[in-house]
């Protein structure tokens, strides 16, 4: 029961705060503990099922009821472990999904910043080649205005479309 509570608490924590850095290690530790218990309990189910069948020469008929009771408990605990393992797997998927969504948002913003700087690089490289007219004051003003106005306009367009 304590292990099931721990699984549920971890699931709630990951849903509320998906940025928790230690979530992956806690999830993997919990998954390991659940798998360890499952490996220990699964064979016991079969043993208890064999012992609880009537007609066993080494078991008295009046004690078979107790073996059935223990078998029922083991089956219930095994099923709870399976549910907990599924919940831990879902918790890991939720965590990885949130990390992936955050990464996608960061990459989109980086792409937008790169998109803003791309025309600036083009303008500065083009006018850095000593084209005719760039030796006059009007050429400097044209390049300066372009490098100041173009990013602001692009940022405004991106902001209006909801990309930033």
């Amino acid at each position: 029961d304590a292990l099931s509570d721990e699984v549920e608490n971890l699931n709630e924590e990951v849903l509320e705060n998906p940025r928790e850095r230690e979530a992956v290690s806690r999830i993997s530790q919990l998954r390991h503990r659940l798998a360890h218990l499952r490996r220990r309990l699964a064979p016991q189910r079969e043993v208890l099922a064999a012992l609880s069948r009537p007609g066993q020469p080494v078991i008295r008929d009046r004690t078979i009821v107790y073996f059935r009771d223990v078998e029922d408990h083991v089956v219930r605990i095994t099923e709870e472990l399976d549910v907990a393992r599924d919940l831990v797997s879902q918790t890991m998927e939720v965590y990885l999904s949130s990390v992936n969504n955050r990464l996608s948002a960061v990459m989109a913003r980086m792409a937008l910043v790169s998109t803003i700087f791309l025309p600036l690089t083009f303008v500065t490289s083009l006018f850095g080649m000593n084209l005719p007219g760039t030796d006059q004051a009007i050429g400097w003003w044209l390049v300066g205005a372009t490098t100041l106005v173009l990013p602001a306009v692009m940022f405004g367009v991106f902001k209006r479309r909801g990309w930033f």
Side-chain angles (χ1 to χ4, degrees), residues 8 20 23 46 78 80-81 86 95 99 107 110 127 133 149 152 154-155:
E8 289 176 12
E20 188 176 334
E46 296 171 15
T78 305
E80 286 182 13
L81 285 174
D86 289 343
Y95 176 76
V99 168
M107 292 304 291
M110 289 177 65
F127 286 102
V149 172
M154 289 177 73
F155 183 76

Side-chain angles (χ1 to χ4, degrees), residues 9 16 37 42 44 46 48 53 55 68 73 77 79 82 85 88-89 98 104 108 120 133 139 142 149 154 156 161:
N9 290 338
E16 291 173 5
L37 276 174
Q44 301 303 318
E46 296 171 15
L48 289 168
R53 283 190 215 113
R68 281 189 192 146
H73 287 294
I77 291 171
E79 288 173 357
D82 290 339
R85 282 179 41 194
V88 167
S89 295
S98 67
S104 295
L120 295 178
L142 180 64
V149 172
M154 289 177 73
R161 289 189 177 195

Side-chain angles (χ1 to χ4, degrees), residues 80-97:
E80 286 182 13
L81 285 174
D82 290 339
V83 169
R85 282 179 41 194
D86 289 343
L87 190 58
V88 167
S89 295
Q90 290 173 358
T91 303
M92 180 64 100
E93 290 173 9
V94 166
Y95 176 76
L96 292 175
S97 176

